Amino acid sequence: MRATKRRALGQHFLRDAGVACAIVDLLAPTTHDLVLEIGPGAGALTGELARRAGRVVALEIDRGLVEGLRARVPSVEVIEADARVWDYGALARPRDGRVLVVGNLPYSVGKPILAALIAARTAIDEMALMLQREVAERVAAAPGGKTYGSLSILSQLYCDARVALRVPPSAFRPPPQVESAVLHLRVRPAPCVPLADERRFHAVVRSAFAQRRKTLANALAAGLGLPLEVVRATARTAGVDPGRRAETLTILEFAELARRL
Ligand code: SAM
């Protein structure tokens, strides 16, 4: 039962202190900063964060780990909570410091936690998040490749994103079956391109990638329920060849399309 629960909660604990330090170094917290740690587990990152940051708040879903962590690192405010639905807006921003988010995220819920953090981006300055390597690479991917998709666009619209570290399974106990990577995300002060209507933009991006093997025009006509000829003509006025595939479009081109469609 315990092993099943551990698997469900993605409990692969970091046992490589060098990797833990490298993750914390990416954000270089100071005593002015507030750090929010997601999924502290047994505290592989928490001790170093507590030593360097002004205030550390940690969200852990497993009650069994919460008590141990409170005893081990008493200066950290450990909250028993689900990071997918926590109210990040409730974090009080330090007067002259940053709000930093750090986490070795559970693989099974890495994407919904990332989505919740991006939705709460106005409360956050920077993040260092360990994810399954494939997911981290999708977030940071540039146009033109197979890994570039709606996750890349929706993340890069709001954050400057790069894969900062690759971490092998041997760095964890128990070792996972996949490789991991740490994403370094800097929240942008505003979306990287001006958007006339954010909801429309999201709908266009989702539809374009819903059927990746179709041409852009075919995917958009099907996804948005618009006549194919209208989509083709609109794409041309936006300066985009309607025969292209969604994965070749930049964020700016998607914004132009969304503005006209
Ligand atoms: N930070 C520790 C480390 O690096 O060793 C633990 C990382 S482990 C991959 C993921 C942690 O997230 C576990 O402690 C797990 O219980 C916790 N967790 C899983 N789902 C969660 C959720 N929805 N909200 C908050 N914590 C969660």
Side-chain angles (χ1 to χ4, degrees):
M1 179 60 189
R2 181 68 195 150
T4 316
K5 182 179 168 192
R6 273 211 308 266
R7 255 198 312 277
L9 295 179
Q11 292 181 346
H12 298 280
F13 297 122
L14 198 56
R15 63 188 190 112
D16 184 325
V19 173
C21 263
I23 294 171
V24 178
D25 281 347
L26 282 175
L27 301 181
T30 74
T31 51
H32 296 289
D33 300 327
L34 162 62
V35 173
L36 176 72
E37 187 183 359
I38 310 236
L45 298 164
T46 322
E48 187 62 15
L49 293 171
R51 259 190 299 285
R52 292 167 67 169
R55 181 180 169 212
V56 180
V57 176
L59 306 182
E60 173 56 62
I61 203 168
D62 185 344
R63 179 172 296 172
L65 293 171
V66 167
E67 288 310 320
L69 203 63
R70 283 184 182 142
R72 217 166 313 123
V73 206
S75 64
V76 170
E77 299 158 51
V78 187
I79 301 172
E80 185 186 334
D82 183 339
R84 287 170 294 185
V85 294
W86 198 65
D87 177 13
Y88 294 93
L91 281 175
R93 199 171 256 288
R95 209 149 32 106
D96 53 0
R98 300 168 298 165
V99 176
L100 307 172
V101 177
V102 179
N104 170 12
L105 301 186
Y107 297 130
S108 54
V109 289
K111 275 196 276 177
I113 293 176
L114 176 64
L117 291 168
I118 289 177
R121 62 193 173 274
T122 54
I124 299 167
D125 294 295
E126 256 180 80
M127 305 187 247
L129 304 175
M130 178 119 65
L131 289 151
Q132 187 175 335
R133 177 176 160 190
E134 185 227 317
V135 176
E137 289 181 348
R138 281 169 53 199
V139 169
K146 280 201 166 53
T147 48
Y148 180 71
S150 52
L151 186 63
S152 332
I153 293 176
L154 302 182
S155 310
Q156 293 171 34
L157 179 63
Y158 301 115
C159 302
D160 174 49
R162 73 184 178 103
V163 175
L165 295 171
R166 294 209 174 124
V167 186
S170 58
F172 304 90
R173 187 181 296 121
Q177 283 176 345
V178 293
E179 294 198 348
S180 306
V182 181
L183 264 183
H184 186 186
L185 300 156
R186 280 201 176 88
V187 177
R188 301 178 191 278
C192 68
V193 296
L195 297 179
D197 177 341
E198 286 200 31
R199 284 181 55 187
R200 188 80 188 149
F201 176 83
H202 291 293
V204 167
V205 171
R206 268 196 305 272
S207 302
F209 285 102
Q211 291 165 301
R212 289 181 80 108
R213 281 200 261 154
K214 288 192 172 180
T215 63
L216 179 69
N218 281 327
L220 287 178
L224 299 172
L226 292 171
L228 184 57
E229 269 323 306
V230 170
V231 176
R232 283 196 179 127
T234 312
R236 283 191 204 101
T237 54
V240 176
D241 177 347
R244 283 167 65 185
R245 310 270 159 188
E247 72 230 34
T248 67
L249 266 69
T250 63
I251 299 182
L252 185 59
E253 287 175 318
F254 271 115
E256 278 300 308
L257 255 182
R259 198 161 65 80
R260 290 180 161 83
L261 270 170

